[in-house]
């Protein structure tokens, strides 16, 4: 009895974890798709993005870089987030 309850609980936790990961993947995919649409990148690959970055001026590049940093920054260490920003700017 105890073993089957434990397996059920672990199964439920695993399903919730997989659902959370899938949600994050979908959000990030949607973000990248939005970047491709916003900057008019036809080739939906890293090479298309790299070509567009080469064509950008410094201001556009810094804006795009900021968007990627904001979206893909680790949110696990919220207490040290100010310190991370200082390190990135240095």
């Amino acid at each position: 009895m105890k073993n089957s309850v434990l397996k059920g609980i672990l199964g439920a936790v695993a399903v919730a974890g997989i659902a959370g990961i899938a949600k994050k993947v979908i959000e990030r995919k949607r973000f990248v798709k939005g970047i491709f649409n916003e900057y008019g990148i036809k080739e939906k690959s890293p090479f298309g993005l790299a070509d567009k970055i080469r064509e950008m001026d410094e201001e556009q590049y810094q804006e795009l870089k900021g968007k990627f940093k904001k979206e893909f920054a680790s949110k696990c260490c919220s207490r040290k987030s100010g310190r991370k920003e200082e390190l990135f700017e240095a």
Side-chain angles (χ1 to χ4, degrees):
M1 179 77 180
K2 291 180 185 178
N3 214 7
S4 64
V5 172
L6 182 61
K7 285 182 182 179
I9 292 171
L10 288 176
V13 169
V15 168
I18 291 171
I21 291 170
K23 180 182 173 189
K24 191 67 172 176
V25 167
I26 290 168
E27 288 174 359
R28 287 186 174 193
K29 187 174 181 180
R30 190 176 300 139
F31 168 76
V32 172
K33 187 175 181 181
I35 292 291
F36 282 133
N37 290 336
E38 181 179 346
Y39 288 98
I41 302 170
K42 302 286 186 224
E43 185 182 344
K44 308 289 187 210
S45 72
F47 299 111
L49 180 61
D51 290 340
K52 185 65 177 181
I53 289 173
R54 285 188 200 105
E55 297 170 2
M56 291 179 174
D57 62 0
E58 186 63 28
E59 183 179 321
Q60 288 176 327
Y61 173 71
Q62 291 301 326
E63 178 186 340
L64 178 65
K65 187 174 156 183
K67 288 179 183 179
F68 274 103
K69 272 188 179 180
K70 182 181 172 191
E71 178 66 24
F72 294 109
S74 176
K75 295 170 183 81
C76 69
C77 304
S78 60
R79 186 174 58 144
K80 297 180 182 178
S81 64
R83 177 80 177 130
K84 282 185 181 180
E85 290 174 6
E86 291 173 9
L87 292 175
F88 284 134
E89 292 178 7

